[in-house]
């Protein structure tokens, strides 16, 4: 692949590993705060992000290039609340959407249509990711100070397979 496209794909792979790492840290926070259902949901989310990274890893190899496994940045050590966690999930998914859009633009600029076509799966995936995060975050607003809300939310999130 052209150098610029390969660099962009390697950066996106690293960003997906960082997402996995970020959600793993959030899962630990939720677990320790007693929200086991939410911890399970976030762990599942972390696994999905690792799968995203591996999709890019395999694509780079398929194109005859070398994946660059760079350092993964450390994640925040603490969160204030579950709402704080989901605010950060939603903000992070918006950031990743910007990265994917920029990567798709690089592929088009470099006339690498195979990479552009590959990245379209991620474009669609991000719509779902942002929508899911916003839906969960919206429940906090709707619940106000309802005392049972966090326990109900934890039970619902715990049902994720
Ligand atoms: Fe992802
Ligand atoms: Fe994501």
């Amino acid at each position: 692949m052209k150098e610029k496209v390969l660099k962009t794909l390697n950066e996106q792979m690293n960003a997906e590993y960082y997402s996995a790492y970020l959600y793993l840290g959030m899962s630990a926070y939720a677990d320790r705060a007693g929200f086991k259902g939410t911890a399970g949901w976030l762990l599942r989310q972390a696994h999905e992000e690792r799968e995203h990274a591996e999709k890019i890893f395999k694509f780079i190899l398929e194109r005859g290039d070398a994946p660059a496994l760079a350092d993964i940045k450390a994640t925040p050590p603490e969160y204030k609340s579950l709402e704080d966690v989901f605010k950060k999930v939603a903000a992070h998914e918006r950031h990743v959407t910007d990265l994917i859009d920029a990567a798709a633009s690089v592929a088009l600029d470099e006339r690498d249509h195979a990479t552009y076509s590959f990245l379209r799966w991620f474009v669609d995936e991000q719509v779902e990711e942002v929508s899911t995060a916003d839906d969960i975050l919206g429940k906090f607003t709707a619940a106000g100070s309802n005392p049972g809300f966090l326990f109900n939310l934890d039970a619902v999130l715990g049902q994720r397979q």
Side-chain angles (χ1 to χ4, degrees):
M1 282 178 287
K2 286 188 182 155
E3 204 177 311
K4 204 172 168 191
V5 174
L6 178 59
K7 184 172 177 281
T8 303
L9 284 173
N10 272 318
E11 283 168 1
Q12 191 58 42
M13 177 174 66
N14 188 268
E16 300 292 343
Y17 275 124
Y18 176 74
S19 300
Y21 220 37
L22 179 67
Y23 296 152
L24 198 59
M26 289 173 171
S27 177
Y29 164 78
D31 189 288
R32 289 167 55 78
F35 298 110
K36 304 286 181 186
T38 308
W41 189 93
L42 287 161
L43 185 63
R44 185 73 197 82
Q45 193 65 22
H47 292 166
E48 274 193 10
E49 298 298 354
R50 204 188 60 214
E51 284 169 18
H52 296 170
E54 284 173 12
K55 247 183 212 292
I56 300 171
F57 173 85
K58 286 178 186 157
F59 180 76
I60 293 172
L61 286 172
E62 211 178 350
R63 297 291 303 276
D65 285 307
L69 297 167
D71 289 350
I72 303 166
K73 155 176 102 158
T75 65
E78 259 313 325
Y79 295 94
K80 289 195 284 267
S81 62
L82 275 195
E83 185 170 9
D84 180 38
V85 165
F86 283 104
K87 268 184 188 161
K88 282 167 182 163
V89 171
H92 182 68
E93 289 299 338
R94 282 196 163 73
H95 167 65
V96 172
T97 297
D98 289 345
L99 295 180
I100 294 286
D101 285 343
S105 296
V106 167
L108 274 187
D109 288 348
E110 298 295 318
R111 304 173 70 93
D112 185 337
H113 287 268
T115 296
Y116 177 71
S117 174
F118 168 74
L119 286 172
R120 284 187 58 181
W121 181 90
F122 287 85
V123 171
D124 295 342
E125 173 70 11
Q126 281 314 117
V127 173
E128 199 187 309
E129 294 269 78
V130 169
S131 165
T132 302
D134 280 353
D135 280 354
I136 296 172
L137 199 52
K139 292 184 202 297
F140 284 88
T141 316
S145 55
N146 180 337
F149 164 67
L150 288 178
F151 295 99
N152 288 333
L153 178 71
D154 191 58
V156 169
L157 292 180
Q159 284 165 12
R160 181 176 180 179
Q161 297 301 307

